[in-house]
Amino acid sequence: MALANKIGVIVDSFRAGVREGLRKAKEVGADGVQIYAVRGEMDPDHLSARERKELRDYIASLGLEISALCGDLGGHGFQDRTENPAKIEKSKRILDLAVELGTNVVTTHIGVVPQDPADPVYQEMQRACEELASYATGMNAYFAIETGPEPAAHLKAFLDTLGSKGVSVNFDPANMVMVTGDDPVAGVKLLKDYLVHTHVKDGVRYLALDPREVYGSLGYEKMSHERIAQMAAEGKIFEEVPLGEGSVDFDAYFAALQEIGYTGYLTIEREVGANPEADIRKAVEFIRRYY
């Protein structure tokens, strides 16, 4: 097996700000970057046309490209019909920014999809995702749902109801092994028609738990990346670990990506650890072994 995929890094994993994170991504040997674009300096509501051009030019000057933006709005995802109009509009503006910066992928979490299609929450999530899918398809782009909150088979069944692939998948194998205990290799093959972006992350699951306690559902604590990172660092229920030290079988995982013909980015995410830059550098080296 010899991978040919480009390697990305989530800029925010460096915890150093966007410009410094971009420089660090170049230094560790990445080909591209994923950037959070929800609030702060990357909030599309605050980025002027001039600032957008300057950012795109700066990224290009480093020899990098954008693999995706992260448009995860947290909370209860798209389960709450009272919040959805504002969240949908915000998501559209993030996708507009993504296309302007040269990528057609925005990754996100939508909340845990209920088991019963007759559940009103399921139907509200479906309605919201249909609107997002239609908007993305019109731009030849994708909102990519991150794997982990539900087994791959259930996620595929939900996606199959949307009528287009404007809402697709950002595949994160570590989320699957840490939370649902699902098999990433089987998941890749099952979701192959929807896979438009991937994360490279490793983890271990110590105890079974209800995914709604992690990823946000009505009646449960709202999801936030800060809270998930705290859980992953504490290591009581699950733990995020450096690549190769967890339960993700990367030999089989990368082989599965090759088998389905995935040619997109392998984007490194590191949400915990005292020295993320060192961990990310090691992660790039780990992936390069497969080239």
Side-chain angles (χ1 to χ4, degrees), residues 13-15 229 233 240 242 270-280:
S13 291
F14 290 109
R15 302 175 220 153
E240 183 189 320
R270 184 64 169 145
E271 294 191 284
V272 304
N275 192 340
E277 183 175 352
D279 291 340
I280 292 166

Side-chain angles (χ1 to χ4, degrees), residues 106-250:
V106 169
T107 69
T108 190
H109 281 281
I110 63 169
V112 181
V113 179
Q115 287 296 315
D116 183 2
D119 186 324
V121 173
Y122 183 107
Q123 294 175 357
E124 178 59 26
M125 295 175 75
Q126 186 182 51
R127 188 202 64 76
C129 286
E130 284 175 341
E131 182 174 346
L132 291 172
S134 176
Y135 188 80
T137 298
M139 301 179 69
N140 192 30
Y142 304 93
F143 288 102
I145 299 172
E146 194 160 331
T147 54
E150 52 280 306
H154 186 52
L155 178 57
K156 181 182 183 299
F158 176 77
L159 292 170
D160 286 345
T161 72
L162 300 182
S164 83
K165 293 178 181 173
V167 170
S168 283
V169 169
N170 172 50
F171 202 97
D172 188 316
N175 289 350
M176 299 180 83
V177 303
M178 290 191 297
V179 180
T180 57
D182 208 9
D183 176 10
V185 173
V188 164
K189 295 175 183 180
L190 197 61
L191 292 166
K192 60 184 174 63
D193 293 334
Y194 292 103
L195 215 155
V196 297
H197 193 262
T198 69
H199 282 168
V200 186
K201 191 169 71 183
D202 206 351
V204 181
R205 185 191 198 201
Y206 299 121
L207 296 171
L209 84 164
D210 188 327
R212 292 176 294 183
E213 296 177 15
V214 181
Y215 289 113
S217 286
L218 290 173
Y220 289 77
E221 188 170 341
K222 291 183 176 183
M223 179 199 139
S224 74
H225 278 276
E226 293 78 13
R227 181 169 170 269
I228 293 175
Q230 182 181 354
M231 296 175 75
E234 287 174 349
K236 295 177 181 177
I237 301 171
F238 57 83
E239 183 178 10
E240 183 189 320
V241 297
L243 296 192
E245 297 182 16
S247 299
V248 177
D249 182 343
F250 281 101

